[in-house]
Amino acid sequence: MNLRHLRCFIAVAEELHFGRAARRLHSEQSPLSRTIRQMEADLGVPLLNRLPRSVRLTPAGQVFLEEARRVLLAFEQAQTKARAAANQRNTLRIALSGDMGQARLSALLALCREEAPQVGIRIFETPLAQLVTGLRNDLYDAGFALAGEMDAGIVAMPVWRDPLVVALPARHPLLAFKEVPLEEVASCRPQRTGSSSTGAASSFTRSMNRFIGSEGSPWRRSR
């Protein structure tokens, strides 16, 4: 008994008619009937009650139909997973956390496609904690994030450096400075502009604490 036999039985069980099942399978009615009889002989139980113009499932046939469907579904899922695993070898999975700078990122991805056109690129946007977890669990091949030190087992290296500037509204008190000290910027409470800004505000605070602790240099005012 093989998968073809299961497909034949499922067709007959769903159509409840050998002629319709044969047309559905693009087969002849006589070979299909012989296949079902051979299955019944192998199983040692009748699967169908044959009537003059139709068939009915026996109790054993009803149970076998459910199990046959499960077997075919499991086989199809196995095929899908195997093909996906094969395709992942030619796919670079990149996770992004935070605002990476669209222009620079686009240029980098374009360079990747130019140097390795046979490799597909999939982009995932995720919080930093999930990015790190995904790298550990082989969900991503690489990640871009606004972060400094990483946990053990994760290799981090700078890809590019952007100058730090502060954008201020007109008549803001900090405009009194020609170069704005980071301490003054950090003392300003970030304002939420929407539901998606919470993560950005937290990232801003962490970045300020890191830069103030490590550099302490002022930001240059951008006009």
Side-chain angles (χ1 to χ4, degrees), residues 72-82:
L72 283 184
L73 178 61
F75 176 71
E76 291 169 359
Q77 290 175 340
Q79 282 184 314
T80 300
K81 291 180 179 179

Side-chain angles (χ1 to χ4, degrees), residues 26-184:
H26 305 288
S27 177
E28 297 293 332
Q29 183 171 339
S30 296
L32 178 59
S33 179
R34 288 195 298 269
T35 297
I36 301 302
R37 288 194 180 278
Q38 184 60 51
M39 292 178 63
E40 291 175 318
D42 293 340
L43 292 170
V45 294
L47 299 175
L48 301 172
N49 286 324
R50 291 159 175 82
L51 305 176
R53 295 186 178 181
S54 64
V55 295
R56 293 287 183 270
L57 289 171
T58 65
Q62 293 175 350
V63 172
F64 190 77
L65 174 61
E66 295 177 4
E67 297 303 323
R69 285 170 171 164
R70 289 195 184 99
V71 170
L72 283 184
L73 178 61
F75 176 71
E76 291 169 359
Q77 290 175 340
Q79 282 184 314
T80 300
K81 291 180 179 179
R83 289 166 181 161
N87 291 335
Q88 281 182 359
R89 295 182 179 180
N90 296 322
T91 301
L92 185 63
R93 302 162 298 173
I94 299 177
L96 305 179
S97 177
D99 185 4
M100 301 306 304
Q102 188 63 37
R104 288 187 182 271
L105 183 61
S106 297
L108 178 62
L109 295 178
L111 180 61
C112 291
R113 292 189 176 97
E114 180 180 344
E115 294 185 350
Q118 75 281 4
V119 177
I121 298 176
R122 293 186 62 190
I123 301 296
F124 304 85
E125 294 186 8
T126 180
L128 179 58
Q130 294 183 18
L131 184 152
V132 174
T133 301
L135 289 173
R136 294 187 184 280
N137 295 333
D138 194 31
L139 297 178
Y140 313 125
D141 300 304
F144 291 94
L146 296 173
E149 297 181 357
M150 279 286 150
D151 298 338
I154 302 295
V155 178
M157 61 184 66
V159 180
W160 63 75
R161 297 183 184 275
D162 291 319
L164 295 177
V165 298
V166 58
L168 299 171
R171 299 183 181 180
H172 192 281
L174 290 182
L175 289 175
F177 295 94
K178 183 177 180 180
E179 292 186 348
V180 183
L182 285 175
E183 295 88 345
E184 296 291 338

